[in-house]
Amino acid sequence: MDSRLLLLTLSLVSACGKKGTNDQPIIPPATVAPQITAEFFDGYFASRYLIADPACQSSVTGGGTIDHANLSVWRDGKVVQTNLSFPTAQARPALSGTGIAIALYGLYQQTDCGSATDASLCQSTPPVSLVAASTPLNICDTKREFVRTSVEAVALTGLAMLETASVFYRKVDGHSSDLPEATLLVLPKVETLYQGGAARSEAVDNLSYVPNFSGSPTFVIFPKGAYGVSLGRWVDVNLWEIPWTLAHEFGHHIFRFHSDIADATSGIAGAVPVHSFPTAFEPNTGFALAAVSGERHVGDADLLAAVNEGFADLYAYYVQGSAPGMTKGIDCFHENRDAGTALFADAQPKVLSAAVLAQFMATTKASANIDCSVPFYQDIHVIGAIFAYGVDQIFSASAGQDAAKKAALMLDWAKRIGQVYLPAQGAASANLTFGTFAHAALATIATGNTLPASACDAAKKVFPTYSDAWFPGEFTCK
């Protein structure tokens, strides 16, 4: 039995890890028997989830190749039933596919924050216990159509999205055959206790990339949350049904490998979520949804985390064909996370201006916007969205709208980021800025010191604080 433990934090952390097989597990594995039930529900969940075929999970027969499945997918502003093809999906001995070695379900993890009254007051290393271990997901009837809220349907949908991102990567010049296969973990129950267990929260309404889940990079699909629905968010769609979201998480996987940036801690201390909107707490609990005061320390890891988010957004954009509109109509995301759109949803320009930089670098925490569609400039995802737009404009000056060619430039960009980031760590004279990483993007398309004029124009527009040091002088624009 595969007994695994997942340590996730709802805070935003940099989780870039080294490639290879020497990463340490997040927490040493524990031996706990999995609890397989036909249906499971929690008051924080918006849906009742079920194992559609529980007998299959202990069966030794059935399975085979999964060629296609009818699944719910977000297309053109709504969810529609779509017949999705699977390049290499296998149903047994566990669900797997291109780039995904195994699909798991059934994890129930509990974190105890003691007497703390909200997440910001929880101790840095709270006790974590494993209530139920994850277990491999089997599918016996490969022709069966599974109900939308079944573990099987969620896993198949996630696998289809990740296979698409993986197949695209393998067609990009500069890709590596050594990119590690990953794990897919679906619908974990990740619970945090407060006030001595009198109150709790659940991790919902998110997707995450965990660079090390018991020795393997892992994509996590969290349950849909009731609180988000009560706010009118994602009422008719699940985040894993939106094609760009898991492609974004796959982008983190690529960034980690091609940048070769290792985390400073022993093992990986957190996850990289697709967003940071506060949806984990029910209303009227007395908990703060977001920290609104206190000190804030911004360092190199925070700069890198924002660029990592931009890289992931950009990769998702290229997987979707480098065509604007991939987030159209999606609550909170809208144009905000669309690398082909010059403006945020509230018409603010995607520009890393001095004012935006001052907000991100501020030493005092600001209050996040109640309206999740309004950009909050202390959020690494928002800064990442600016990077994604600006770097796409730079790459387009060289590769036009060819998504695969621009993705190849991305791989070179990731390598260059590692080359400037790694030597700076521990160097007393190092002075990394967002300009360091934007400069690395320009260097990917430069011929000698010459750049296309349109690339220079894009850099001046999106990164004005730094462009005076580049033009004229370091680069010639033609």
Side-chain angles (χ1 to χ4, degrees):
M1 186 60 65
D2 185 11
S3 181
R4 302 181 177 213
L5 194 62
L6 175 66
L7 175 60
L8 298 174
T9 60
L10 296 179
S11 59
L12 295 176
V13 295
S14 173
C16 303
K18 62 185 178 181
K19 62 186 178 183
T21 60
N22 296 321
D23 289 348
Q24 296 299 311
I26 296 169
I27 302 178
T31 303
V32 179
Q35 298 177 350
I36 301 175
T37 56
E39 182 175 286
F40 57 100
F41 180 72
D42 186 279
Y44 279 82
F45 299 168
S47 303
R48 289 184 177 274
Y49 297 103
L50 69 147
I51 313 296
D53 191 356
C56 177
Q57 306 316 312
S58 57
S59 172
V60 295
T61 61
T65 300
I66 301 175
D67 297 318
H68 57 84
N70 287 318
L71 299 163
S72 298
V73 179
W74 178 269
R75 303 281 192 204
D76 300 321
K78 61 182 179 180
V79 173
V80 295
Q81 284 296 113
T82 305
N83 190 280
L84 298 179
S85 298
F86 294 86
T88 62
Q90 296 290 321
R92 293 182 63 86
L95 181 64
S96 63
T98 305
I100 302 298
I102 189 171
L104 304 172
Y105 78 103
L107 181 78
Y108 182 1
Q109 174 190 294
Q110 199 171 73
T111 301
D112 190 351
C113 280
S115 60
T117 56
D118 66 56
S120 66
L121 298 176
C122 190
Q123 61 200 73
S124 59
T125 56
V128 179
S129 60
L130 185 63
V131 180
S134 58
T135 190
L137 175 65
N138 299 325
I139 294 180
C140 292
D141 185 353
T142 60
K143 305 299 182 182
R144 179 171 175 175
E145 292 193 15
F146 294 101
V147 64
R148 185 181 183 186
T149 55
S150 67
V151 172
E152 291 93 338
V154 175
L156 283 168
T157 305
L159 180 63
M161 304 302 181
L162 290 167
E163 278 200 319
T164 298
S166 181
V167 168
F168 177 79
Y169 170 77
R170 295 174 187 216
K171 295 178 181 178
V172 173
D173 288 345
H175 77 276
S176 174
S177 59
D178 293 330
L179 183 73
E181 288 192 311
T183 295
L184 173 61
L185 175 66
V186 299
L187 303 175
K189 183 176 171 62
V190 180
E191 183 176 67
T192 304
L193 303 178
Y194 301 92
Q195 298 176 338
R200 67 187 176 94
S201 71
E202 297 285 346
V204 295
D205 282 338
N206 223 329
L207 307 170
S208 289
Y209 173 65
V210 181
N212 192 328
F213 173 53
S214 194
S216 174
T218 299
F219 301 101
V220 186
I221 296 176
F222 291 99
K224 184 174 182 174
Y227 178 45
V229 172
S230 75
L231 297 177
R233 296 178 186 172
W234 313 308
V235 173
D236 299 318
V237 65
N238 297 301
L239 293 184
W240 59 85
E241 296 167 345
I242 304 169
W244 76 268
T245 55
L246 281 167
H248 167 100
E249 297 305 329
F250 198 88
H252 286 309
H253 186 42
I254 294 170
F255 182 85
R256 176 187 180 230
F257 183 82
H258 282 271
S259 68
D260 202 19
I261 297 174
D263 190 84
T265 61
S266 176
I268 303 303
V272 187
V274 75
H275 73 78
S276 59
F277 312 128
T279 59
F281 293 95
E282 287 184 318
N284 304 317
T285 60
F287 295 148
L289 291 180
V292 296
S293 63
E295 292 185 357
R296 183 168 177 268
H297 304 280
V298 181
D300 289 352
D302 301 288
L303 302 182
L304 183 71
V307 174
N308 190 350
E309 291 300 332
F311 185 97
D313 276 358
L314 198 55
Y315 184 75
Y317 182 60
Y318 294 156
V319 171
Q320 299 304 308
S322 189
M326 69 179 189
T327 62
K328 184 178 180 181
I330 303 172
D331 298 321
C332 298
F333 300 114
H334 301 296
E335 291 86 356
N336 292 340
R337 302 290 290 277
D338 190 330
T341 305
L343 304 176
F344 287 108
D346 67 345
Q348 292 188 61
K350 292 179 180 175
V351 174
L352 204 60
S353 65
V356 168
L357 281 169
Q359 292 179 64
F360 182 79
M361 301 300 294
T363 57
T364 302
K365 295 176 182 177
S367 178
N369 303 304
I370 296 176
D371 182 355
C372 62
S373 66
V374 176
F376 175 54
Y377 292 112
Q378 288 188 353
D379 183 351
I380 58 173
H381 298 86
V382 173
I383 302 300
I386 296 174
F387 254 90
Y389 170 71
V391 173
D392 178 63
Q393 295 298 299
I394 291 169
F395 287 171
S396 294
S398 173
Q401 295 309 308
D402 189 312
K405 288 182 178 179
K406 290 196 285 188
L409 294 173
M410 286 188 69
L411 303 186
D412 186 30
W413 183 37
K415 180 180 178 180
R416 291 173 185 271
I417 288 173
Q419 289 172 341
V420 295
Y421 183 83
L422 289 170
Q425 304 313 294
S429 60
N431 185 28
L432 291 181
T433 69
F434 281 129
T436 306
F437 303 118
H439 180 278
L442 288 168
T444 64
I445 67 166
T447 302
N449 68 338
T450 302
L451 289 169
S454 57
C456 297
D457 291 341
K460 293 174 184 177
K461 176 183 176 183
V462 182
F463 306 106
T465 306
Y466 308 105
S467 60
D468 285 348
W470 304 329
F471 322 113
E474 183 173 355
F475 292 108
T476 299
C477 303
K478 290 185 178 180

